[in-house]
Amino acid sequence: MQNMGLLIQRQREYFQKGQTKDLSFRIQQLKVLKKAIFMYEEEIMKALKKDVNKSFFESYETEIGMVLQEINYAIKNIKNWSKPKKVKTPIVHFPAQSHIYQEPYGVVLILSPWNYPFQLAMVPLIGAIAAGNCVMMKPSELSPYTSKIIAKIVKTMYNPAYVAVVEGGIQESQFLLKQKWDYIFFTGSTRVGRLVMEAAAKHLTPVTLELGGKSPCIVDKEACIDVAAKRIVWGKLLNAGQTCVAPDYILVHHTVKKPLVESMRKYIQQFYGTQVNDQFPRIINQHHFERLVALMKEGTIVGGGYHCKNTLQIAPTLMDEVSFEDPLMQEEIFGPLLPVIEYKKWSEVVQHIESRPKPLAFYFFSENKKKQKRVLQQFSFGGGCINDTILHLATPYMPFGGIGESGMGRYHGKTSFETFSHEKSVINRGTWLDIPFRYPPYNYKLGILRKVLR
Ligand code: NAD
């Protein structure tokens, strides 16, 4: 722990030297990161395979590819993002010019989870570097192989006084959270998110919290059922359902429930077969495996249900006759179990969604444009898709983040840069003119002020 304390001190000193603020330095560091990812691509994929049995395709699609896309986007735009922005100046301040300057926070902490262990550590890192910060990272102890390769990349490419990785578990995390940071970026559960915010409050450190929760998927009777089934199955079963924005459960209009379930069965069979094969990701550990197997005992299994304790794999499982009161509907599932609950009236959907915490993601399947508009106006959620799942996260052109219990703050693309930058507003006044109106004594001036500022 003492070493960590010293390292933070070194990072603080390094930041004060000012080198990280230099634009060409930042671009260079992003290029270095990109080069390292190409160099270690195979090791990263092997680590992900060992940690969660991710196939190489999924690893490239949802982790490496996304990180490369974010780096390229940052390198291309960083110059523009960091330019001081000239804005209007109120006439009463004449003569003056107003600018907003982007400045890095300083030394920032990034805590990340195990489910997309590479991407969820690297994408915030890109934003932090682009903005000119020094960075301390603590990846998850539950994905130790990926944590190791992240540590190796960072150690090989960067001076630890600039970017460093702490490998460790809760104890290390708690130690880090006690220290003073200029910004904390946390991705993980809502439960730990509360602890992070509590720790940050002690030093009044600003935070981004990227959390989880239950993300609903609503299938209207006017949905294109076959396409909906295919896209839901894909989104739910990426990483065996261990995805923060996975559709947690389906609310389907009762008239289309049967064809939807049939289509989903068809696609599960087509994509994965009846039992799990070596390509299907495993559940992260025994504790979560047993939790999910216990949840499978609720309701009726209408597809899948197979699970293997030795490999910690659970086959894609569709569940019927689940009620809102069942434990399956009380906690984030975070696994390949998909409850399908029918509704008859729209008011049931409204009542259900509005009585629960605001979700991280929300999916609505319908061809009816009026209904699409109504859903967007009615419900509050982090982000989502109409007629698809997951994709809103896989783009550098939109901010990604939660609301309420699913998180606060946002990142990806330009918003990552903004998250790790403080906007410093500065007015630069001329001295050749100094209208005395604002100076005491005020005497008759209030009347004039009222006329000007109304
Ligand atoms: P977690 O909250 O258990 O762990 C996240 C990080 O916090 C890890 O680095 C861990 O070491 C640390 N940590 C754990 N317990 C701690 C404690 N008591 N004190 C201090 N630090 C602690 O989350 P997880 O199980 O790794 O990830 C799953 C959760 O993360 C799910 O809820 C999921 O929805 C959410 N998630 C959210 C996003 C998002 O972008 N919003 C992305 C992925 C996962």
Side-chain angles (χ1 to χ4, degrees):
M1 302 292 175
Q2 203 191 352
N3 286 346
M4 274 192 262
L6 284 174
L7 193 52
I8 300 167
Q9 185 53 34
R10 280 182 60 201
Q11 290 203 331
R12 221 160 258 298
E13 285 160 15
Y14 190 74
F15 180 74
Q16 276 155 8
K17 287 187 186 153
Q19 191 185 13
T20 65
K21 294 182 184 174
D22 181 76
L23 194 58
S24 53
F25 175 84
R26 292 188 247 165
I27 293 171
Q28 187 52 32
Q29 301 316 311
L30 290 174
K31 286 185 177 162
V32 159
L33 188 59
K34 184 173 169 183
K35 191 172 147 207
I37 292 170
F38 285 133
M39 249 166 74
Y40 290 103
E41 184 185 299
E42 205 181 324
E43 272 188 62
I44 299 166
M45 298 217 261
K46 282 185 178 158
L48 290 163
K49 182 84 184 155
K50 280 188 188 156
D51 279 330
V52 262
N53 198 39
K54 249 180 230 200
S55 67
F56 283 7
F57 182 87
E58 254 190 50
S59 289
Y60 204 91
E61 179 191 28
T62 62
E63 305 240 26
I64 296 172
M66 227 180 120
V67 173
L68 291 173
Q69 201 184 13
E70 285 279 340
I71 297 181
N72 291 338
Y73 192 68
I75 290 175
K76 196 167 159 209
N77 292 290
I78 186 172
K79 208 167 159 189
N80 223 352
W81 297 338
S82 16
K83 269 190 197 140
K85 261 183 265 155
K86 187 163 189 243
V87 293
K88 279 190 181 174
T89 305
I91 189 76
V92 288
H93 298 341
F94 182 81
Q97 284 197 336
S98 304
H99 287 93
I100 303 168
Y101 295 87
Q102 307 292 332
E103 71 170 20
Y105 274 100
V107 181
V108 305
L109 174 66
I110 296 173
L111 294 174
S112 51
W114 54 264
N115 61 331
Y116 289 83
F118 188 69
Q119 186 247 110
L120 293 172
M122 288 297 167
V123 175
L125 174 68
I126 294 162
I129 289 179
N133 297 278
C134 287
V135 190
M136 182 75 81
M137 304 165 78
K138 214 283 302 156
S140 174
E141 66 281 9
L142 299 185
S143 45
Y145 293 100
T146 313
S147 296
K148 207 164 259 331
I149 183 70
I150 292 173
K152 185 169 164 184
I153 290 175
V154 167
K155 208 169 169 185
T156 318
M157 297 296 162
Y158 297 127
N159 175 352
Y162 173 45
V163 183
V165 174
V166 169
E167 287 179 87
I170 294 175
Q171 221 185 343
E172 285 74 9
S173 196
Q174 285 169 339
F175 174 84
L176 290 170
L177 284 171
K178 282 201 186 112
Q179 313 309 308
K180 183 167 167 49
W181 302 95
D182 298 306
Y183 202 94
I184 299 177
F185 189 102
F186 171 79
T187 308
S189 62
T190 301
R191 180 185 68 81
V192 180
R194 287 182 213 281
L195 301 175
V196 170
M197 197 160 171
E198 216 178 297
K202 293 221 167 74
H203 298 286
L204 287 178
T205 304
V207 290
T208 290
L209 301 177
E210 296 284 343
L211 311 177
K214 287 181 92 63
S215 297
C217 176
I218 300 178
V219 183
D220 173 50
K221 64 181 176 203
E222 292 179 80
C224 181
I225 295 298
D226 197 61
V227 175
K230 195 186 333 178
R231 293 179 181 176
I232 293 169
V233 163
W234 173 78
K236 176 71 183 185
L237 297 170
L238 270 179
N239 204 25
Q242 302 168 108
T243 303
C244 57
V245 287
D248 189 88
Y249 59 94
I250 296 177
L251 290 180
V252 55
H253 193 267
H254 67 112
T255 53
V256 291
K257 180 178 169 192
K258 204 165 160 227
L260 179 75
V261 170
E262 270 163 22
S263 277
M264 288 200 295
R265 272 211 211 102
K266 177 183 79 182
Y267 284 114
I268 289 173
Q269 167 71 27
Q270 195 175 311
F271 297 166
Y272 307 101
T274 36
Q275 300 213 334
V276 283
N277 56 40
D278 184 48
Q279 289 293 301
F280 197 62
R282 68 172 170 80
I283 303 307
I284 186 68
N285 58 25
Q286 184 131 359
H287 162 73
H288 282 290
F289 177 82
E290 281 165 13
R291 177 183 65 81
L292 288 162
V293 170
L295 289 178
M296 279 165 82
K297 299 204 171 90
E298 294 168 30
T300 308
I301 294 174
V302 289
Y306 169 83
H307 51 277
C308 174
K309 206 172 172 177
N310 294 335
T311 60
L312 294 183
Q313 284 173 304
I314 297 180
T317 299
L318 299 174
M319 316 261 320
D320 196 359
E321 286 166 39
V322 174
S323 88
F324 289 142
E325 286 69 45
D326 288 337
L328 194 61
M329 289 302 291
Q330 301 299 319
E331 59 180 87
E332 182 181 7
I333 295 172
F334 226 56
L337 318 182
L338 184 55
V340 185
I341 301 176
E342 65 179 46
Y343 68 90
K344 290 197 169 68
K345 289 194 200 131
W346 183 247
S347 57
E348 292 169 48
V349 174
V350 175
Q351 203 279 332
H352 169 76
I353 305 288
E354 289 189 342
S355 61
R356 281 164 176 74
K358 293 176 181 176
L360 179 62
F362 188 99
Y363 304 113
F364 183 60
F365 286 85
S366 177
E367 295 300 301
N368 184 317
K369 297 267 185 267
K370 272 196 188 144
K371 288 182 183 169
Q372 294 178 1
K373 204 170 156 195
R374 176 182 66 183
V375 158
L376 294 183
Q377 273 174 351
Q378 188 151 26
F379 300 126
S380 182
F381 49 88
C385 307
I386 304 268
N387 291 326
D388 214 322
T389 59
I390 312 284
L391 298 187
H392 65 291
L393 172 146
T395 158
Y397 305 113
M398 293 202 287
F400 172 74
I403 176 168
E405 287 185 31
S406 60
M408 62 181 70
R410 70 251 195 289
Y411 75 131
H412 287 184
K414 187 178 183 212
T415 51
S416 292
F417 175 85
E418 288 169 349
T419 286
F420 286 103
S421 303
H422 166 64
E423 287 199 323
K424 197 158 70 177
S425 298
V426 177
I427 286 193
N428 191 335
R429 281 204 87 205
T431 50
W432 58 271
L433 180 69
D434 199 16
I435 300 164
F437 183 73
R438 69 175 154 153
Y439 302 116
Y442 300 123
N443 301 335
Y444 60 93
K445 293 178 185 168
L446 180 60
I448 302 174
L449 188 66
R450 276 211 182 99
K451 280 194 185 123
V452 176
L453 301 178
R454 64 190 304 145

